[in-house]
Amino acid sequence: MTAERTDGRRNREIVLRTAMRVFTEDGLDVPLSRIAQRAGVGAGTVYRHFPSKEVLIEAVLAEHIHGLVRGADRWAARAAPGDALLGFLVEAIEQSPGRVRVCDWLTGDRSWPRAGLAAATEQFGQALDRLLLAAKRAGAVRADVHADDLTALLAGGAALRSAHRSPARGARLVRLLLDGLLTKPAEFRDTAPGRRHETGHCLECGARLHIHTTGRPPTYCGPTCRQRARRRRR
């Protein structure tokens, strides 16, 4: 691969990451020139890869969906079937808040889905089917659950999590919602190789915690949340 192609691919990835961040923070009315400025590239570079804002928005969401597909494959490779399905659903819901504006825009566009986004959505559906089939074969998930049910749960879980005032409580409600999929609901464990610990969330801000096998399990992500919770209790 030539240096020019390498630079082009790197610039495209930078623009995509920046666009997702800017759209999340400032909405979809942001001009491409501001995205170029935030990305540290020229406006011509943005227009070369994304001729219009609509093309960029679609590419941003397609990239997000591709990331979910890769996440589904990682969960399938590292965890038992039931844990893989539940873990992936939780992860996908946790990643959803920043994509709400983009999704709302696309659902209001009569020309959706376009070819690129339709292909990404199809791959996501296939990855979800694989996780569900493996979980059913292992007897971990109810036999009457369908892929369409999981898609609805993803949408509902994202809405539930973002609607709750407390991120930690919202995350807990999502877990309770997803527990209904399992034949034997139980506390979810992250069984990734080399990471033998349960995963939880900060009771104050909802950030993910890593609970190791030794020592006292943490309940807060750091001193700031611990002090905030202590002041609230007082």
Side-chain angles (χ1 to χ4, degrees), residues 2-66:
T2 65
E4 184 177 353
R5 287 186 178 181
T6 301
D7 290 342
R9 177 174 295 183
R10 182 171 61 250
N11 287 337
R12 186 180 189 277
E13 292 173 353
I14 291 173
V15 171
L16 277 177
R17 290 197 301 269
T18 303
M20 184 72 259
R21 187 166 60 252
V22 172
F23 289 150
T24 301
E25 296 171 356
D26 303 329
L28 300 180
D29 293 331
V30 177
L32 294 184
S33 58
R34 187 186 303 177
I35 294 175
Q37 184 180 18
R38 291 278 297 272
V41 301
T45 299
V46 176
Y47 282 102
R48 188 179 308 118
H49 294 288
F50 309 102
S52 68
K53 185 188 292 186
E54 289 74 16
V55 173
L56 177 57
I57 292 174
E58 182 183 2
V60 164
L61 188 55
E63 180 61 27
H64 171 60
I65 294 174
H66 284 308

Side-chain angles (χ1 to χ4, degrees), residues 32-226:
L32 294 184
S33 58
R34 187 186 303 177
I35 294 175
Q37 184 180 18
R38 291 278 297 272
V41 301
T45 299
V46 176
Y47 282 102
R48 188 179 308 118
H49 294 288
F50 309 102
S52 68
K53 185 188 292 186
E54 289 74 16
V55 173
L56 177 57
I57 292 174
E58 182 183 2
V60 164
L61 188 55
E63 180 61 27
H64 171 60
I65 294 174
H66 284 308
L68 291 178
V69 173
R70 293 190 293 269
D73 292 339
R74 286 194 300 270
W75 277 103
R78 78 187 194 182
D83 286 344
L85 178 62
L86 185 60
F88 169 70
L89 293 175
V90 170
E91 183 175 284
I93 290 172
E94 287 179 347
Q95 294 177 9
S96 64
R99 279 70 180 177
V100 172
R101 289 175 175 172
V102 177
C103 292
D104 288 346
W105 178 86
L106 282 169
T107 53
D109 185 353
R110 295 180 180 180
S111 63
W112 185 89
R114 299 186 179 94
L117 191 57
T121 303
E122 183 178 358
Q123 292 177 15
F124 174 76
Q126 293 170 352
L128 203 58
D129 283 338
R130 290 194 295 269
L131 287 175
L132 178 58
L133 181 60
K136 283 186 174 181
R137 286 176 174 172
V141 174
R142 294 166 49 118
D144 58 350
V145 176
H146 301 287
D148 290 346
D149 300 329
L150 300 183
T151 304
L153 283 173
L154 285 173
L160 178 65
R161 196 182 191 288
S162 52
H164 206 291
R165 290 184 302 172
S166 165
R169 294 288 297 175
R172 181 176 179 275
L173 289 177
V174 168
R175 294 298 184 98
L176 292 175
L177 175 69
L178 297 179
D179 269 351
L181 297 171
L182 306 179
T183 53
K184 296 180 180 180
E187 179 67 23
F188 167 70
R189 290 177 178 270
D190 182 349
T191 54
R195 294 173 58 194
R196 296 182 178 177
H197 56 266
E198 293 183 4
T199 60
H201 293 79
C202 173
L203 295 181
E204 184 64 25
C205 70
R208 175 170 290 187
L209 300 174
H210 297 292
I211 306 174
H212 300 278
T213 54
T214 58
R216 184 178 178 180
T219 52
Y220 302 102
C221 62
T224 301
C225 283
R226 187 179 299 108

